[in-house]
Amino acid sequence: MDDHNATDSIKFGDNRTSDIDIRLKNSKGKPELFHSHSFILRSKSTYFADKLLGPGSHTCIEIQCTEVNYDHHVKLLKYLYLPEGSILDSLDSVRSALGVLQVAAALRCESVVESCIHYLEAVPWEDSEEDEILVIVSRLGPIAMPVLARIRPVDPGPTKSVFISAIRFATSVDSPCPPFGDELRVSAQEQVEYMLGDDEDIPLVVVDKEVISETLMGLSKTFSLFESDLFLLLEPDVTSEGKIVRRLSDLEWMCNVMLKMGLMNDFVSKWIDISEKVLHITGEMKFEDSMLGLKVKLLEVASKVLDAVGYGSVILPAPRRVQLLKTWLPFVRKLKPILDSMANKGVEFSYKMDEDLSQSIEGAMVSLVSALPSDDQAEILADWMSADQLKYPDLSEAFEVWCFRTKSAKRRLVGGMDRVGNATVSL
């Protein structure tokens, strides 16, 4: 009988036409004996071809399997009876394809292996499945390259291109794309931050001159747009506050990006430059309550700048540090009691300064004050102690350090003068 015609006429498990049995040895008591056909086994599997090679009659081939891969063995035996084009359509899940792939590779069933590889390369994976896929297909050699191409790190060139495109889209000043509104741009921002997470390849990308240039250009666009929209607050438009809050969210995102790329100096410099203008415009608003959401958002962005400068991530000359502190200390000192008062009224209030933000700002300011020249510290601490309330921010730690250093400096000065005097007398 011609093999092609025979394949069309016989079925898997057909006892009437089978000439060999496959016995799956397992411990679960499932049916173990499968009626098969030697010419199909021989044509579809080099493992079976080797088993059937040589003198002597073979009526049964035993295969050891486990409880876990028993069903995958059964599926493989069924797939051997399908036309090659139909195997791909029969695969129904990543988990099943992986199981059959391992069995097919062990039994050297090339057509089934190829079908499983094509399936895995084309279908979506769950995150939990990816590690297992990598372990299994990496053992298969060149045939698995289509699957590995989805997992392996891409070359720095494509990564760079994607990153630049994402930065451009995330900092786009164009109108939102209907019908998605602003969602696509926000999604691009999230993906940029994700790409900047711990990764072996991204450090090579973020030091690239073109990437840095594009990022700094995006920073300038974001600040420029914020400044231009800021003047909308002076117009009688009830929607302006929400728009400015969104611009501040863009700035906060840009701050995170610059921090991860080691470009925080540029963000801090621009923030200090516009701080007085920002606080002047927001301070002109007559309805204080309507501005609380915006002012809290301002405070969240300012806290990142204070933290970067206060703890030395960004190194600035003393006059710039003094400027930053003198600009934001009065704002913080005035806003915190208002927020606390609103929160204590017992009504639902969305704009309370949370404890983490409060402690972060206070710690950064203490560190900032303590690192200033002594005369600048004295001026700031004197202004702080003359205020109506000293509860927040609490600069008492900085004051104690200043007092200790002042006394120490005086002792060193007197001691130095005494040593000079004694040296003169001894001459």
Side-chain angles (χ1 to χ4, degrees), residues 169-206:
F169 195 89
T171 58
S172 172
V173 298
D174 297 332
S175 300
C177 305
F180 301 103
D182 210 33
E183 294 176 9
L184 288 179
R185 193 170 60 85
V186 172
S187 177
Q189 292 179 352
E190 292 173 351
Q191 293 309 308
V192 168
E193 280 204 75
Y194 178 77
M195 291 175 71
L196 288 172
D198 294 335
D199 191 283
E200 294 180 358
D201 298 317
I202 283 298
L204 299 176
V205 174
V206 299

Side-chain angles (χ1 to χ4, degrees), residues 5 9 67 154 172 174 178 214 235 266 314 345 350 391 393:
N5 293 331
S9 62
E67 178 185 347
V154 297
S172 172
D174 297 332
E214 193 67 41
E235 300 176 4
D266 297 270
V314 172
K345 288 182 179 179
S350 309
K391 293 182 179 179

Side-chain angles (χ1 to χ4, degrees), residues 37-90:
H37 302 79
S38 58
F39 74 93
I40 288 182
L41 299 179
R42 189 182 296 110
S43 64
K44 298 293 184 71
S45 164
T46 56
Y47 171 85
F48 288 125
D50 290 344
K51 284 284 186 180
L52 295 169
L53 189 64
S57 60
H58 294 271
T59 59
C60 183
I61 297 177
E62 289 190 347
I63 299 176
Q64 184 69 48
C65 62
T66 66
E67 178 185 347
V68 174
N69 65 16
Y70 176 89
D71 290 337
H72 301 316
H73 278 82
V74 175
K75 281 188 176 183
L76 173 69
L77 293 176
K78 292 180 179 179
Y79 290 161
L80 296 182
Y81 284 75
L82 295 176
E84 290 188 10
S86 301
I87 298 174
L88 193 59
D89 296 332
S90 300

Side-chain angles (χ1 to χ4, degrees), residues 228-244:
S228 63
D229 285 351
L230 194 62
F231 288 97
L232 295 175
L233 292 174
L234 302 178
E235 300 176 4
D237 183 357
V238 294
T239 65
S240 60
E241 180 195 353
K243 188 173 184 179
I244 304 304

Side-chain angles (χ1 to χ4, degrees), residues 117-131:
I117 290 293
H118 291 160
Y119 179 86
L120 292 171
E121 187 275 332
V123 300
W125 307 330
E126 298 291 338
D127 290 341
S128 59
E129 295 169 332
E130 187 161 304
D131 289 340

Side-chain angles (χ1 to χ4, degrees), residues 350-407:
S350 309
Y351 306 124
K352 184 178 181 180
M353 187 191 302
D354 64 58
E355 193 64 25
D356 289 342
L357 178 61
S358 176
Q359 292 180 1
S360 175
I361 291 173
E362 187 172 77
M365 285 191 166
V366 168
S367 182
L368 260 171
V369 172
S370 300
L372 291 176
S374 184
D375 289 347
D376 290 318
Q377 290 186 52
E379 182 182 352
I380 290 171
L381 290 169
D383 178 69
W384 169 68
M385 286 185 288
S386 65
D388 294 336
Q389 62 89 24
L390 302 179
K391 293 182 179 179
Y392 188 86
D394 183 0
L395 301 183
S396 56
E397 181 181 344
F399 178 61
E400 292 172 6
V401 171
W402 178 84
C403 291
F404 175 79
R405 288 177 177 170
T406 300
K407 285 191 173 185

